[in-house]
């Protein structure tokens, strides 16, 4: 069988520098395939077709990722299948926890040494996994630690899905105290720009939402895909007729400032990106989420709140304000609380639903914009409960 096609950069990624060396994609894993593909793969390996369902039930139904624990399979089959369908894709390097274990960040090493992170957040009524779609990110937003790192490579479908399956297993173990023992939501808000790894992210969404044992059985409505605003890919997503939530990282209502804060705006302007987002909302009936990191004296002026209010008035959209999280070497700070309150008030007065996101995971550099695996040092682990990840 062939491995996954390697597409180092997407045509939707405007400023990507052509990669000279093809990044090494990982070996194939069952989560790369749908059930029919898994059936074909097991029969090619000389195993009965029903093994596909058996493996899938272990992996997606019972959240068992290690073939050695699938003891109802004959030992010889386990050996044959492990290399070809259940290779280890993610090796845990470190797990950090805060909020009494309700927030956990896991640092993973991939087969080629690339590092990515995932975050699990427990709430009284739900458990959310924040997962990465790329190692690093090519979008270069200056206030985001991942954006400062540059893009290493796209993740494979299975590398994306395996993060969620691992985190679902953590939730199921009861480790997230005070939360239900079931992963209910997945947000593509970890490292990377999901729409720059489009086909794999869409396949990953299909795996996460297919009913068990084909997939993890999450509701499409409980999946959020966040983007800097790659307009052609947003339009393509609209045509998929999925009912996932679309989040747009806007951060400024005017092109002058957005050109700086979200450099991809130099290619697709505010009006165009909002038009694509509103179109998504109209087609799917799903309210879009406008992400806006409030940065002191940069994008928090009352006139910008009023302009944003005018742009969003009467639209199927809500604003999620994110107090800026500190990142290494950044010259920017979060807005003072009174400024934040005034920004919220003006948006609400314009009839726009607005919430302020909690800053979960700040102490472990696990909050929005703080995921930069390369920079994880002993120092950043200080004060948090660091633990090696059990494989
Ligand atoms: N590339 C996608 C997915 C990442 S989601 C996107 O940009 O939408 C991560 C979210 O956190 C984005 O909205 C991002 O703009 C925001 N963010 C990045 N750095 C941040 C910081 N330092 N403080 C608060 N939010 C930040």
């Amino acid at each position: 069988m062939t491995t996954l096609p390697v597409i180092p950069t997407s045509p939707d990624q405007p400023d990507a520098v052509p990669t000279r060396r093809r990044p090494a994609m990982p070996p194939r894993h069952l989560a790369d395939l749908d059930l029919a593909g898994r059936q074909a793969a097991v029969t090619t390996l000389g195993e009965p077709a029903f093994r596909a369902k058996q493996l899938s039930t272990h992996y997606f139904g019972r959240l068992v990722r290690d073939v050695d624990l699938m003891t109802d399979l004959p030992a010889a089959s386990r050996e044959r299948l492990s290399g070809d369908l259940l290779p280890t894709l993610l090796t845990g390097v470190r797990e950090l926890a805060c909020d009494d274990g309700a927030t956990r960040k896991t640092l993973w090493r991939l087969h080629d040494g690339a590092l990515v992170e995932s975050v699990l957040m427990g709430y009284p009524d739900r458990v959310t996994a924040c997962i990465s779609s790329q190692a690093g990110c090519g979008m270069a937003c200056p206030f985001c630690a991942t954006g400062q790192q540059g893009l290493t490579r796209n993740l494979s479908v299975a590398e994306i899905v395996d993060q969620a399956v691992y985190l679902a297993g953590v939730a199921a173990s009861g480790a997230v105290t005070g939360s239900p023992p079931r992963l209910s939501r997945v947000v593509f808000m970890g490292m990377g720009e999901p729409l720059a790894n489009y086909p794999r992210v869409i396949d990953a969404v299909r795996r996460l939402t297919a009913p068990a044992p084909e997939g993890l059985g999450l509701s499409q409505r409980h999946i959020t895909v966040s983007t800097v605003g790659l307009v052609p890919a947003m339009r393509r997503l609209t045509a998929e007729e999925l009912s996932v939530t679309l989040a747009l990282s806007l951060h400024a209502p005017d092109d002058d400032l957005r050109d700086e804060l979200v450099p991809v705006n130099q290619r697709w302007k505010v009006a165009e990106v909002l038009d694509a987002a509103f179109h998504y909302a109209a087609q799917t009936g799903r309210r879009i989420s406008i992400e806006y990191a409030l940065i002191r004296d940069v994008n928090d002026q009352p006139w910008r709140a009023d302009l944003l209010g005018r742009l969003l008035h009467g639209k199927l959209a809500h604003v999620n304000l994110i107090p800026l999280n500190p990142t290494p070497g950044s010259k920017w700070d979060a807005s003072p609380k009174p400024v934040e309150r005034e920004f919220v008030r003006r948006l609400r007065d314009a009839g726009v639903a607005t919430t302020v996101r909690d800053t979960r995971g700040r102490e472990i550099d696990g909050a929005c914009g703080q995921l930069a695996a390369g920079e994880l040092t002993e120092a950043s682990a200080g004060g948090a409960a660091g633990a090696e990840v059990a494989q």
Side-chain angles (χ1 to χ4, degrees), residues 137 143-145 188-190 192-194 226-228 249 251 291 293 322-325 327 357 368-369:
C137 183
F143 56 92
C144 175
F188 282 82
M189 292 190 175
E193 166 53 40
S226 184
T227 181
V228 288
S249 295
H251 304 308
E291 310 296 295
I322 318 171
L324 187 81
N325 290 309
T327 58
R357 185 182 289 174
C368 303

Side-chain angles (χ1 to χ4, degrees), residues 102-114:
T103 308
R104 303 158 172 268
K105 178 171 84 161
T106 308
L107 172 68
W108 302 108
R109 180 173 296 109
L110 309 180
H111 81 112
D112 57 351

Side-chain angles (χ1 to χ4, degrees), residues 106-368:
T106 308
L107 172 68
W108 302 108
R109 180 173 296 109
L110 309 180
H111 81 112
D112 57 351
L115 297 170
V116 296
E117 293 176 303
S118 327
V119 184
L120 189 66
M121 291 163 289
Y123 301 88
D125 62 330
R126 65 187 194 280
V127 179
T128 301
C130 176
I131 61 174
S132 297
S133 56
Q134 297 182 312
C137 183
M139 298 296 122
C141 304
F143 56 92
C144 175
T146 316
Q148 297 314 294
Q149 216 182 251
L151 177 66
T152 302
R153 70 166 168 88
N154 284 326
L155 300 193
S156 70
V157 177
E159 284 173 322
I160 298 170
V161 171
D162 202 37
Q163 296 170 59
V165 172
Y166 167 77
L167 294 174
V170 172
S173 75
V176 192
T177 27
S179 298
R182 201 180 151 71
L183 180 71
S184 41
R185 287 169 198 259
V186 169
V187 298
F188 282 82
M189 292 190 175
M191 298 173 88
E193 166 53 40
L195 296 189
N197 187 13
Y198 188 90
R200 297 188 189 87
V201 165
I202 297 301
D203 253 20
V205 168
R206 295 198 193 283
R207 279 317 101 71
L208 295 174
T209 57
E214 175 154 17
L216 204 51
L218 296 174
S219 152
Q220 285 185 10
R221 291 163 177 268
H222 290 166
I223 307 270
T224 299
V225 175
S226 184
T227 181
V228 288
L230 304 184
V231 167
M234 290 167 75
R235 298 209 184 277
R236 206 169 150 195
L237 181 66
T238 308
E240 304 278 352
E241 299 194 354
L242 292 167
S243 44
V244 298
T245 299
L246 180 66
L248 170 63
S249 295
L250 194 68
H251 304 308
D254 53 306
D255 286 321
D256 276 353
L257 181 57
R258 194 165 191 268
D259 280 350
E260 186 189 345
L261 294 182
V262 185
V264 78
N265 196 72
Q266 294 162 24
R267 172 80 168 259
W268 293 291
K269 298 293 173 191
V270 169
E272 223 179 326
V273 97
L274 281 177
D275 182 63
F278 296 152
H279 189 62
Y280 182 85
Q283 289 294 304
T284 58
R286 307 280 304 143
R287 190 166 78 157
I288 52 162
S289 181
I290 301 290
E291 310 296 295
Y292 198 108
L294 271 181
I295 314 176
R296 174 189 220 136
D297 297 333
V298 172
N299 64 355
D300 61 357
Q301 301 81 357
W303 73 264
R304 284 202 161 93
D306 294 342
L307 176 55
L308 184 60
R310 283 198 298 280
L311 293 173
L312 300 181
H313 176 79
K315 303 292 186 184
L316 202 52
H318 107 281
V319 174
N320 205 346
L321 295 173
I322 318 171
L324 187 81
N325 290 309
T327 58
S330 167
K331 53 183 184 205
W332 287 317
D333 295 324
S335 304
K337 284 293 155 192
V339 173
E340 178 186 292
R341 278 194 291 273
E342 179 62 10
F343 207 90
V344 172
R345 191 188 67 74
R346 283 173 183 262
L347 281 170
R348 289 190 179 148
D349 281 357
V352 178
T354 304
T355 48
V356 178
R357 185 182 289 174
D358 67 4
T359 48
R360 272 297 181 99
R362 260 196 191 181
E363 306 93 298
I364 54 172
D365 283 350
C368 303

